[in-house]
Amino acid sequence: MNIKKHIPNLITLLNLLCGCIALVYASHGDYFAAFYFVCLGIFLDFFDGFFARLFKVASPLGLQLDSLADMVTSGVVPGFVMFFMMKNSQHEIGTHEIWNYLGFIVTMGSCYRLANFNIDTRQTESFIGLPTPANTLFILSLPLILQYSDSLIVLEVLTNQWVLLVITLCSAYILNAEIPLFSLKIKKFNLKDNALQIGFLTVSLVLLGLFQYLGVALVIIMYVLLSVINNKMGKKVTA
């Protein structure tokens, strides 16, 4: 039996396990543990593809497993967390609890994104629309920002069900929007060709160091905004 061909799939299944564990912690209100198990799952998600290419054992089964595991870690978990944030909000849209389930729009948007990614041949080198792991980190950072912030403004904003609904809808949209996002891969070792990537990573480290969990959300927002600006500047150059 060729052990090597099963290693990437095992790593993918460990990603799925991390997502399941994150769900359990999130259901108990432990968003700190949920966040870090999701981070571990995303880390494993990167390395399953790495080892599949390294061992030259990439397969259709691995591709399907990867999407199914991501659907839990980067699809169900953020929708579940948004559901609980909606449920625990102070400024509600209405009294009926059905509004809380709108948080799962994040899960629906993630599902569509993952299915579309598998058949979209344009996304081999970079992304079109926000990747589900990045969106998940953004969503899971919100309850931690709320938990560790002393700001009354943050409290008012992140406990307002209307605001959470807008975040949910924007999240589902940006996952599937026709917005090319610049690749973070460094292919040529020179400053000119990698100025955007190096600048982004440098500012990201500063934001994470200064703002911790708020920095996570700011980095994701900055990534999207920089990509939009980069796209517009690129069009002007080619026009």
Side-chain angles (χ1 to χ4, degrees):
M1 187 172 81
N2 187 357
I3 300 296
K4 287 197 299 185
K5 75 175 185 179
H6 297 290
I7 291 176
N9 291 341
L10 175 60
I11 295 173
T12 302
L13 291 174
L14 289 175
N15 169 23
L16 174 61
L17 177 61
C18 287
C20 294
I21 295 172
L23 277 173
V24 174
Y25 277 112
S27 68
H28 290 90
D30 190 344
Y31 299 116
F32 180 83
F35 179 86
Y36 282 101
F37 269 103
V38 162
C39 287
L40 179 57
I42 292 171
F43 177 78
L44 293 168
D45 182 43
F46 172 81
F47 276 100
D48 60 3
F50 172 80
F51 280 108
R53 291 186 295 271
L54 179 66
F55 297 148
K56 298 179 180 178
V57 292
S59 67
L61 173 62
L63 179 65
Q64 298 305 318
L65 274 179
D66 187 68
S67 290
L68 291 170
D70 284 348
M71 186 55 216
V72 176
T73 305
S74 298
V76 178
V77 174
F80 199 64
V81 168
M82 185 56 76
F83 163 79
F84 274 104
M85 290 193 72
M86 296 276 282
K87 184 178 181 180
N88 297 326
S89 60
Q90 297 177 5
H91 308 280
E92 299 181 345
I93 297 173
T95 56
H96 202 287
E97 66 174 15
I98 193 171
W99 295 108
N100 304 330
Y101 292 98
L102 293 177
F104 286 108
I105 291 174
V106 175
T107 301
M108 295 163 64
S110 299
C111 181
Y112 190 89
R113 156 85 192 179
L114 288 166
N116 189 48
F117 181 80
N118 283 348
I119 60 173
D120 192 343
T121 56
R122 299 173 298 168
Q123 302 191 57
T124 54
E125 294 294 330
S126 59
F127 298 107
I128 298 175
L130 188 65
T132 53
N135 184 67
T136 299
L137 291 176
F138 176 82
I139 297 295
L140 265 70
S141 71
L142 299 180
L144 295 176
I145 294 169
L146 184 60
Q147 183 176 341
Y148 290 102
S149 176
D150 296 324
S151 172
L152 291 177
I153 296 176
V154 171
L155 177 65
E156 285 292 318
V157 169
L158 293 183
T159 58
N160 188 311
Q161 208 170 60
W162 284 105
V163 172
L164 294 175
L165 178 59
V166 169
I167 292 173
T168 297
L169 294 174
C170 288
S171 169
Y173 168 76
I174 205 69
L175 282 166
N176 298 285
E178 287 287 316
I179 302 174
L181 302 181
F182 65 89
S183 174
L184 295 176
K185 295 178 181 178
I186 296 177
K187 298 178 181 179
K188 298 179 181 178
F189 292 95
N190 62 74
L191 182 61
K192 182 181 178 181
D193 292 328
N194 300 294
L196 182 60
Q197 288 84 349
I198 294 172
F200 171 75
L201 292 173
T202 302
V203 175
S204 296
L205 290 173
V206 173
L207 289 174
L208 292 172
L210 290 175
F211 301 110
Q212 286 79 48
Y213 298 111
L214 176 58
V216 174
L218 292 175
V219 166
I220 303 301
I221 293 171
M222 180 178 67
Y223 180 44
V224 175
L225 292 178
L226 278 178
S227 294
V228 172
I229 294 169
N230 186 55
N231 294 336
K232 289 189 176 296
M233 289 180 64
K235 288 179 180 179
K236 287 181 180 179
V237 171
T238 55

